[in-house]
Amino acid sequence: MNKLWTSVLAIGIICVVAGSIIVLQSDDEIPTTDIVVEQTIPKTQQPSNPAPTKTQVTPEPTPEPKPEPTPEPKPEPKPEPKPEPTPEPTPAPVLIVEDPVKIEVSIPAGSGSHTIAQLLQSNGVISDAQAFDDYVIMVGKSRILQKGTFTFTDNMSYDEILGVLTY
């Protein structure tokens, strides 16, 4: 049964393709139409065997539009070059670089990462003690922080601070 359906499907596809080719080819030709004209003649004048007359009508081809000549472009008059004003030199921006502020912090023995983060925040080394404590725990250095007095600056990164606290 499966082969039968496959055959029917193949024949159907072939018919669709063939029909499409025929339609495409017939579109290229000038269409002609057979018109059957039946004349109505009164009974008194009607011939014995009236036969319909076939007339072939061919539509007139539509004239192709003639391209309009394009006018030649007229050269535009060139304006006289005006002397450009010389721009005034702009001064280079001045960057004011302040020396980082040195901050000394004493870390007592036995201080955990949370206590150290609180000390660093209270002395102005970091702005968020909880974020620093979370970072120290995340990188796995919460148990190797050292005690002592350390010098920091106010613009150090968390990695730089850990570098100082862990030697």
Side-chain angles (χ1 to χ4, degrees), residues 57-129:
V57 177
T58 305
E60 294 183 21
T62 56
E64 294 185 22
K66 294 180 182 178
E68 296 181 15
T70 56
E72 293 183 22
K74 296 178 183 177
E76 295 181 13
K78 294 182 180 177
E80 294 182 21
K82 295 178 182 176
E84 293 184 22
T86 55
E88 294 182 19
T90 57
V94 177
L95 297 176
I96 300 173
V97 179
E98 295 180 12
D99 289 333
V101 177
K102 294 187 179 195
I103 305 167
E104 278 196 11
V105 178
S106 294
I107 308 292
S111 298
S113 64
H114 182 71
T115 305
I116 294 172
Q118 293 293 330
L119 284 169
L120 294 174
Q121 181 180 4
S122 65
N123 285 296
V125 178
I126 60 173
S127 60
D128 188 353

Side-chain angles (χ1 to χ4, degrees), residues 128-141:
D128 188 353
Q130 184 62 47
F132 180 74
D133 187 34
D134 292 342
Y135 179 75
V136 170
I137 293 169
M138 182 183 75
V139 296
K141 295 191 176 184

